[in-house]
Amino acid sequence: MKSKSVERDLSPEKTEAILDGAMQEFLEHGYAAARIDKIAVAAGVSKATIYRRFPDKESLFTGLMQQLACKKELFNSTQLQSAQGDVTAFLKSLANKMLNNVADDPQVLTFLRIIIGESGRFPELARAFVQNIEKPILEAMTQYLASHPELELPDPEVAARAFMGTLIHFVILRDVLHSGDIVPMERDRLVDQLVKLIIK
Amino acid sequence: MKSKSVERDLSPEKTEAILDGAMQEFLEHGYAAARIDKIAVAAGVSKATIYRRFPDKESLFTGLMQQLACKKELFNSTQLQSAQGDVTAFLKSLANKMLNNVADDPQVLTFLRIIIGESGRFPELARAFVQNIEKPILEAMTQYLASHPELELPDPEVAARAFMGTLIHFVILRDVLHSGDIVPMERDRLVDQLVKLIIK
DNA sequence: GTCTATAAACAGATAGAC
DNA sequence: GTCTATCTGTTTATAGAC
């Protein structure tokens, strides 16, 4: 009665190693081009050991990605931690934290590529990402903006979307699509003017 | 002296059929999971006929996608055709046209998935997309906003990015990531309030 | 120039030894 | 429970016939 569902006396260390290796391989090559063989090598186990815990390649992929889509740490480290200070300063610092978070971490970019790239074949994965990552951020932003009536925002929810959408679009162009030089935009300028646009 | 570079007396009809079949297959399955076999069947030719014009799978893929990334018709059918009427009405109609364009055409969504999903392995493809699609739209938007000084926009370029970013983010959440029900937002409401946010 | 048939390599999944 | 060796089906790419 101490085993959870299917897993039964399987070495947790190897399971962890497999998930690590799978993450590396899937993030680097995507689903279709990822090789079970490579995952086994990276994890330091045999393929049979992988197939003892995961029925097939697809299960390994979805299991891993669903797990990743819940790790909020990956994204919003600082989720509206302290709504102190004036609104302008707070929004700027929030935007900067979000941009730093992806700029520093290439894995976050790769993760975004996979989520969007595989959203046609793995819609549930995309939905889990939105449910666990995007939705909480949007709701917190809306809440924050709505709690400041002096801003006189006619629609805080749309304002939150504009804020997030502008930043994400910026990241997609600059970092995901490698086009920071094609459509150049100073990061500080974007943040400053975006905040002005929202709160004025 | 009438052949262009490598192509030499190859049936243009079959080349066209191959590109059509390749588009179907690549858009549906992505690069790695696409099968040359399927492309040949869809095009009504043999695999050898494909390999006579394209050295390998990768060339076929990049050639096709680069071509697609130039077909602006796919996207902004109406590119600021007539800047007539008041600014509010014009921006709303522009936003609606953009949203209609992707809502109606699942191929556009699939194309976006591929561009982003493969941007790690095919950075030049991503850059071609930005150069030919995103950049012209952003520049035209900036130009339009800047040509209306009565709006008193401190930074038309950032305003244009906010406008585009909000709409694209909306499309990504609702259509690309299949999450319109998780983070619901009435389309007309978003457009109306977004325009207000920009021009007021 | 195009097709049929095939080569050659590979990848997902498993049987059986330990 | 884990590994080695292998099976089975598949896939890119090409050689050779027409």
Side-chain angles (χ1 to χ4, degrees), chain B residues 138-159:
Chain B
L138 277 177
E139 284 180 344
M141 263 297 288
T142 303
Q143 191 87 22
Y144 175 79
L145 292 176
S147 71
H148 286 263
E150 75 272 20
L151 297 177
E152 296 183 31
L153 288 172
D155 195 326
E157 198 172 339
V158 169

Side-chain angles (χ1 to χ4, degrees), chain A residues 52-126:
Chain A
R52 172 118 340 219
R53 15 218 122 188
F54 299 93
D56 51 27
K57 185 184 177 182
E58 188 170 322
S59 297
L60 176 54
F61 177 69
T62 55
L64 172 72
M65 296 303 282
Q66 290 272 358
Q67 174 182 309
L68 273 186
C70 296
K71 293 212 172 189
K72 303 190 177 63
E73 308 90 67
L74 260 182
F75 283 81
N76 55 335
S77 41
T78 66
Q79 183 83 356
L80 302 188
Q81 48 181 14
S82 56
Q84 57 202 5
D86 67 299
V87 177
T88 299
F90 177 72
L91 288 182
K92 282 186 187 176
S93 111
L94 187 64
N96 280 316
K97 277 174 189 160
M98 288 188 46
L99 293 181
N100 283 334
N101 208 20
V102 299
D104 301 346
D105 191 347
Q107 282 212 328
V108 171
L109 295 178
T110 312
F111 180 68
L112 282 177
R113 288 195 187 100
I114 303 262
I115 292 289
I116 294 178
E118 305 290 353
S119 59
R121 283 167 294 275
F122 297 97
E124 286 314 312
L125 183 61

Side-chain angles (χ1 to χ4, degrees), chain B residues 2-3 14-15 20 44 55 61 66 73 75 89 111 125 137-138 150-151 156 160 164 166 170 186-187 199:
Chain B
K2 62 175 182 287
S3 67
K14 304 213 167 185
T15 301
D20 284 353
F61 176 69
Q66 291 270 359
E73 308 89 67
F75 282 81
F111 180 69
L125 184 60
I137 299 181
L138 277 177
E150 75 272 20
L151 297 177
M164 292 294 302
T166 306
F170 175 73
E186 198 67 32
R187 164 230 180 92
I199 70 173

Side-chain angles (χ1 to χ4, degrees), chain A residues 8-9 11 49 52-53:
Chain A
R8 192 181 206 73
D9 300 324
S11 155
T49 303
R52 172 118 340 219
R53 15 218 122 188

